[in-house]
Amino acid sequence: MKSIKFVLAGILFGIIMSKSEAISWYRIQEMFRFQSFHMYGLMGTAVVAGSIAVFIIKKFNINDYTGKLIVFQDKEKSFLRYIIGGTIFGLGWALTGACPGPMFVNVGYGYFGMLIVIFGALVGTYLYGVVKDKLPH
Amino acid sequence: MLELLKQPWPWYTSGAAIAFILVLLLYFGKSFGVSSNLRTICTIAGAGKKVKFFDFDWKTQKWNLLFIFGAVLGGVISSTLLKSDQPLQLSAATIADLKGIGIAFDGNLNPSQLYSFDAILSIKGLLILLIGGVLVGFGARYAGGCTSGHAISGLTNMQVPSLIAVIGFFIGGLATTYLILPQLF
């Protein structure tokens, strides 16, 4: 049960991403062309509902299932790394139609070309690790 | 019930379900973020011996690998048991715009011009997917997270850095959509 719950959560995530069509290259194009509310509604609902949940968890000091207080880590304060890194990410996102979660879901769906995208993403991650200290953060 | 689940899910159901995943992982004592798995896989492959960034105890991230393993299985279930028999309902404007830049809408989730075996075995197709992947992987680590880590975990925790990252996602996405894609097909 210790590990299986994460697999089950992942299965649910994979089904949600597939059935909402968020793993679709076409839907991502539709989003970047502002021609449908679908992806905005999806992310908007997730963020609003999630924010309420996070607010309640903080307000009432709710514990996780082991009894430990749920803590939230603040992201490191900076501007450059987020705007530059985010832009590079976005360039690839619109090209492949997949961010990291949907890459994996798509492989399961039968789009084996996503394995190339995942391989590329691993190479990109490795390259970042190599040049990290030379980049503005 | 199965018939209902087979239909494409509306955005409000799906959005609420994603918030549920966020809360579920918090309850399990973890934080929702998929792209860190890419770093973990590099570490397992031995990258930590050469590059300090990858020198960490990957076992602390085992749960996240199980999560993406589940995500793959979720994809399998969606394309078999829960497969919808209707074509994707893409907006007419997008279909027309894509046609204008030489990309056909075929009713599937992803265009065959990018993801069919013919496409991925061509030099051009292979390079598009490979370079796209490199950009996503590099950018996600540089920005310290992807759509799940920033747009969901970060924004729900009112993190300004995540908002900056999401703005970056859009600058890059719009640049590819309007400047790069029209040159490729």
Side-chain angles (χ1 to χ4, degrees), chain B residues 4-131:
Chain B
L4 185 70
L5 289 177
K6 276 183 173 182
Q7 306 297 317
W9 297 6
W11 53 264
Y12 40 90
T13 318
S14 313
I18 293 171
F20 175 71
I21 296 281
L22 168 81
V23 173
L24 197 61
L25 290 179
L26 287 172
Y27 181 67
F28 292 160
K30 311 295 179 192
S31 147
F32 184 33
V34 176
S35 67
S36 14
N37 286 304
L38 298 167
R39 179 185 178 212
T40 309
I41 297 170
C42 287
T43 300
I44 294 174
K49 288 189 206 96
K50 276 191 175 164
V51 185
K52 211 179 112 246
F53 180 66
F54 299 103
D55 185 14
F56 79 107
D57 181 14
W58 67 268
K59 291 203 174 70
T60 58
Q61 280 288 313
K62 208 179 111 189
W63 71 270
N64 214 343
L65 293 173
L66 291 165
F67 181 79
I68 55 161
F69 172 67
V72 175
L73 295 182
V76 175
I77 294 168
S78 304
S79 68
T80 51
L81 193 64
L82 296 179
K83 190 167 172 63
S84 157
D85 40 23
Q86 281 159 34
L88 187 90
Q89 299 294 313
L90 192 67
S91 83
T94 310
I95 296 176
D97 280 4
L98 290 176
K99 197 176 168 201
I101 58 168
I103 301 171
F105 175 61
D106 46 27
N108 295 317
L109 287 173
N110 296 304
S112 55
Q113 275 163 289
L114 275 169
Y115 286 102
S116 67
F117 277 109
D118 281 347
I120 62 182
L121 293 175
S122 71
I123 302 279
K124 183 175 131 185
L126 185 74
L127 282 179
I128 291 176
L129 299 185
L130 196 61
I131 293 170

Side-chain angles (χ1 to χ4, degrees), chain A residues 75-94:
Chain A
K75 306 267 182 201
E76 175 197 328
K77 294 263 178 295
S78 161
F79 178 75
L80 279 182
R81 72 171 295 181
Y82 298 112
I83 201 78
I84 305 172
T87 302
I88 296 171
F89 176 91
L91 287 168
W93 185 16

Side-chain angles (χ1 to χ4, degrees), chain A residues 69-122:
Chain A
L69 184 71
I70 296 176
V71 283
F72 295 88
Q73 262 188 332
D74 283 343
K75 306 267 182 201
E76 175 197 328
K77 294 263 178 295
S78 161
F79 178 75
L80 279 182
R81 72 171 295 181
Y82 298 112
I83 201 78
I84 305 172
T87 302
I88 296 171
F89 176 91
L91 287 168
W93 185 16
L95 197 57
T96 61
C99 46
M103 282 178 196
F104 289 93
V105 181
N106 262 306
V107 170
Y109 204 95
Y111 286 100
F112 299 119
M114 283 290 172
L115 289 168
I116 301 169
V117 182
I118 293 174
F119 177 74
L122 289 169

